[in-house]
Structures are given as structure tokens and as C-alpha cells.
Amino acid sequence: MDTCLGPELNVSDVFSCSFSSWYSSFENLTISSKVLVLPPEVKSYLLADGIVLPEEDNYRSTADTSEDEEDDWDDGNQESQPPKFVEFEATVKQAIEALGGSVFPKLNWSAPRDASWIAFGNTLKCEGLNEILLLLKSSDFITHDLTRPFDCCHDSGTHSSDSVQYELVLREWCSLAQSMEFRVFVKQGVIVGISQRDFTNYFPELKNIAARLPREIQRFHSRHIAGKFTLQNYVFDVYRRATNNYLLIDFNPFGEVCDSLLFSWEELRTRQVDGTQEDIFRYVMQQEGVKPNPYGQYRVPTDVIDIATGSDPQKLVDFLKVEAERQAREDSTKDDTDDVER
Ligand SMILES: Nc1ncnc2c1ncn2[C@@H]1O[C@H](COP(=O)(O)OP(=O)(O)O)[C@@H](O)[C@H]1O
Ligand SMILES: [Mg+2]
């Protein structure tokens, strides 16, 4: 992410790939989503050191019984006072309900994929604001969006993160089979490469569709994306639901800020495709071809070491708080179901 070799990326390219720039034009091709303006106080909270989650109403009712212990945590430590985002919490709650109860969160460009280790179940599936904030606050990708979104742009000197209207994007949660996600590289309006999105795994089923996949994706591109997306050089991610049935997942800039997966940026930049290019689709062909997971470094997080050594006890408290909220929610859903059954 930090190595920027290509000279051609500019700030307007990065803006064109931000979620709210493209969503309204491609709404019918992608997952239902809501875009919420991120209040400045929530942005500051995400950038502040330490994790102290806001108290949600449903948590307070169970937490009030242990006031003494809470006081102990708070003694002489103003910074651990939980913030309150009453209005924002209500807006988020409404959006989550409208999207079916569970969502995938991201900001203008990135999702907190590097922070999924902090979530129970290791997923980005969220049902409430605290889960969302815990993920966002634990993610380097989110910090990058908030502080250095134009790092790789040759004209970044004229822009900073201050010129960005930050947004929280909530997308309806969808169970996606990782084997069916693909990244498509478009240069001068033409597809120059397609890669298996999760290149850290071998998926035997890809062999069966490899021959027809480029044609299917080219068809999807020419019908729905070419000429409609504002850039000539870009990258888009898709999900194959069935033969000739694709879901658009995301747009990314054509350059080092975007992972080139089974290609290299150098070859993507110099590639000439004449329509008969056999090598347009790359996937892992055998178990031995699997590359190490680039997010491996995030798996043994220093935060866990902090928790273990007791240098950041608040984080453990918040970790457990989110779990308590989740269990309370599950119990109340179970009660509702029991009521119906009775
Ligand atoms: N609505 C969703 N529900 C479940 N998983 C999702 C959803 N949207 C994206 N994902 C998963 O998260 C990955 C990253 O999503 P993406 O929006 O491209 O984030 P980023 O731009 O940070 O990579 C996707 O490849 C997909 O596996
Ligand atoms: Mg993306």
C-alpha cells in the first residue's frame, strides 16, 4: 500500500472511486447500501488513541448493576469516559434495520478488513454501532482513508484529507463465496487482466469455469460498466453468482493503492491485449501455488499482546462489551421466537 510507483494516478481518480461517487450510477448492479455522513466528532473519535466505546442504550441496562467496578475503571482517567453519539447511533440503527439487520461497514474507500480479528467470529458482519466503531477504530486501512487518502497521487500536494467529506457506508450483509470473487483491471477502457480476488487459496472449482470466465466478465463490462464509469483506467471487483450473473462489489484506482493480486502493476501497465490473450485470467491452479496471506501480519495483533500484558485493559473491556451486546441481542431474538412458538 505504501509503495507508489505509477506516475499517472491523480486525486480526481481517487475521488471517482469513492463509494458515493459511483453508487447511484450502479445501484442496480451492486449490493444495497446506505451512505451516512460521518459526523466530525465521530471522525475525531476514530482517530483518537485508545478504544473506549460509546454506551449503547441496551448495554447500559445490563451494565448499571456493576457500577462499583465501572467506577474503578474510570478513576482519575477522563479519557476512558465513553463518548455519546446519540443522533448518529439512531441514524445507523435505522440504516441497519432498513438493510435487513446486518451490514458490512466501510468508509469512502476502504473496509476494515485488517481488523476482522477483533470481531467475534472473525467477520466484518455488524449489527450495531459499537461493533462498527470497534472495527473501524482497530483498522490501519481506515486510518489510511482518514489521514492519507491521496498518498499515491502525483497532485496530492494540493489536497489533503480535510477536503474529503467522510462517509460511513453500510452495505447489506451478503454471504459471498470467496472463490467466486474476481478483480478486473481496465486500461484505456479495455480489460487487461482478471485475477482471482482471494489469491491465498486454491479453489478447485475455478478450473471448470476458467475458459468461459473472461468472456462472461467482458460481457458484463461492456454491457454495464464501459462508457458509464467516469475513468478510462480503473479496477473493479465482481462476484459471480451464476453463469452470466454478476454482482459489482467495488471500484478502485488503477495503481499501487489497489492490490494487483496475481499480476504485478508493472506488467498491467505495459500489457497489450489483442482479444486472443489467453493469459487474461489468472487463478491459483494448484494447492502448491498458494501465496502467503498478506494480512497474516494482522493476525497476532499487538492489541492482543496489550490485552495479555494488561497495558490496555480498556480494550478488553470494550471487546467484552461488544460481545455482551451481541448476546443480549441474540437472547432477545430467541425470546421473541419462543413467544411465537408458544
Ligand atoms: N455486503 C457485503 N457483505 C459481505 N461481505 C462483503 C460485502 N461487501 C464486500 N464484502 C467482502 O469484503 C471484501 C472487501 O470489500 P470491498 O468493498 O472491496 O472493501 P475494500 O475496498 O476495502 O477492499 C470483498 O472482497 C468481499 O469479500
Ligand atoms: Mg475496494
Side-chain angles (χ1 to χ4, degrees):
M1 246 201 180
D2 287 329
T3 41
C4 312
L5 303 173
E8 65 266 59
L9 210 60
N10 54 47
V11 169
S12 70
D13 296 338
V14 174
F15 269 119
S16 298
C17 294
S18 78
F19 188 82
S20 59
S21 303
W22 61 262
Y23 180 62
S24 56
S25 313
F26 296 94
E27 204 172 339
N28 59 342
L29 294 179
T30 192
I31 301 166
S32 293
S33 307
K34 302 269 180 205
V35 179
L36 314 178
V37 172
L38 193 72
E41 65 274 19
V42 179
K43 182 187 168 197
S44 310
Y45 164 74
L46 291 178
L47 288 171
D49 282 345
I51 297 184
V52 182
L53 290 170
E55 287 199 358
E56 285 183 356
D57 285 347
N58 56 355
Y59 175 68
R60 188 182 286 280
S61 58
T62 53
D64 280 348
T65 53
S66 57
E67 263 172 29
D68 292 349
E69 286 139 69
E70 289 223 321
D71 287 349
D72 287 349
W73 285 112
D74 289 346
D75 264 358
N77 184 358
Q78 276 307 307
E79 279 178 20
S80 67
Q81 288 300 324
K84 288 191 172 50
F85 306 121
V86 179
E87 251 177 67
F88 187 58
E89 189 189 334
T91 315
V92 166
K93 196 168 172 211
Q94 225 174 23
I96 294 177
E97 276 166 18
L99 292 167
S102 36
V103 295
F104 172 91
K106 64 186 293 184
L107 292 192
N108 304 39
W109 295 280
S110 305
R113 281 178 297 138
D114 56 326
S116 59
W117 59 266
I118 205 168
F120 276 88
N122 239 324
T123 111
L124 299 190
K125 187 177 186 175
C126 294
E127 295 172 358
L129 178 63
N130 272 358
E131 285 167 274
I132 295 170
L133 293 177
L134 184 63
L135 281 168
L136 298 180
K137 218 166 159 25
S138 310
S139 164
D140 290 347
F141 296 174
I142 293 300
T143 306
H144 185 272
D145 267 23
L146 289 173
T147 55
R148 301 181 294 142
F150 309 120
D151 254 10
C152 280
C153 302
H154 65 83
D155 56 347
S156 63
T158 54
H159 286 79
S160 76
S161 57
D162 296 340
S163 56
V164 178
Q165 158 87 278
Y166 278 99
E167 291 155 343
L168 173 65
V169 177
L170 300 178
R171 317 204 68 186
E172 180 186 340
W173 180 263
C174 300
S175 292
L176 305 173
Q178 298 209 312
S179 57
M180 291 297 133
E181 287 190 59
F182 305 97
R183 173 158 286 180
V184 189
F185 301 89
V186 180
K187 191 173 68 177
Q188 294 303 315
V190 175
I191 295 178
V192 292
I194 301 171
S195 171
Q196 172 181 333
R197 175 84 172 83
D198 172 9
F199 62 92
T200 63
N201 278 303
Y202 164 61
F203 300 113
E205 59 269 43
L206 288 182
K207 197 171 268 168
N208 302 327
I209 58 167
R212 60 173 182 269
L213 195 105
R215 235 174 305 126
E216 286 187 13
I217 290 184
Q218 268 154 348
R219 187 175 123 139
F220 177 79
H221 176 248
S222 62
R223 284 196 177 180
H224 301 295
I225 296 182
K228 291 187 193 134
F229 190 60
T230 45
L231 302 177
Q232 278 295 296
N233 300 328
Y234 54 96
V235 178
F236 66 98
D237 297 325
V238 288
Y239 181 70
R240 183 182 191 268
R241 288 187 286 207
T243 306
N244 278 317
N245 182 346
Y246 283 79
L247 196 59
L248 175 65
I249 303 286
D250 198 16
F251 282 104
N252 310 282
F254 188 90
E256 273 73 7
V257 280
C258 174
D259 194 334
S260 54
L261 306 179
L262 294 171
F263 294 88
S264 76
W265 273 112
E266 197 185 342
E267 65 176 322
L268 287 166
R269 283 206 180 84
T270 50
R271 234 162 181 247
Q272 298 298 330
V273 173
D274 58 10
T276 56
Q277 180 79 250
E278 279 179 13
D279 184 32
I280 198 164
F281 174 45
R282 286 195 191 161
Y283 62 105
V284 178
M285 294 186 176
Q286 53 198 6
Q287 190 65 52
E288 293 74 43
V290 169
K291 288 192 184 183
N293 186 331
Y295 303 123
Q297 59 173 305
Y298 298 107
R299 290 229 175 112
V300 187
T302 49
D303 307 63
V304 167
I305 297 164
D306 287 347
I307 288 170
T309 58
S311 59
D312 189 0
Q314 190 60 49
K315 206 169 263 180
L316 179 58
V317 172
D318 285 331
F319 193 51
L320 295 172
K321 199 193 247 187
V322 165
E323 181 55 9
E325 283 168 12
R326 185 195 295 278
Q327 283 186 359
R329 246 190 332 259
E330 273 174 13
D331 288 349
S332 72
T333 329
K334 219 163 72 207
D335 288 350
D336 292 350
T337 325
D338 289 351
D339 287 349
V340 174
E341 278 169 5
R342 263 181 249 126

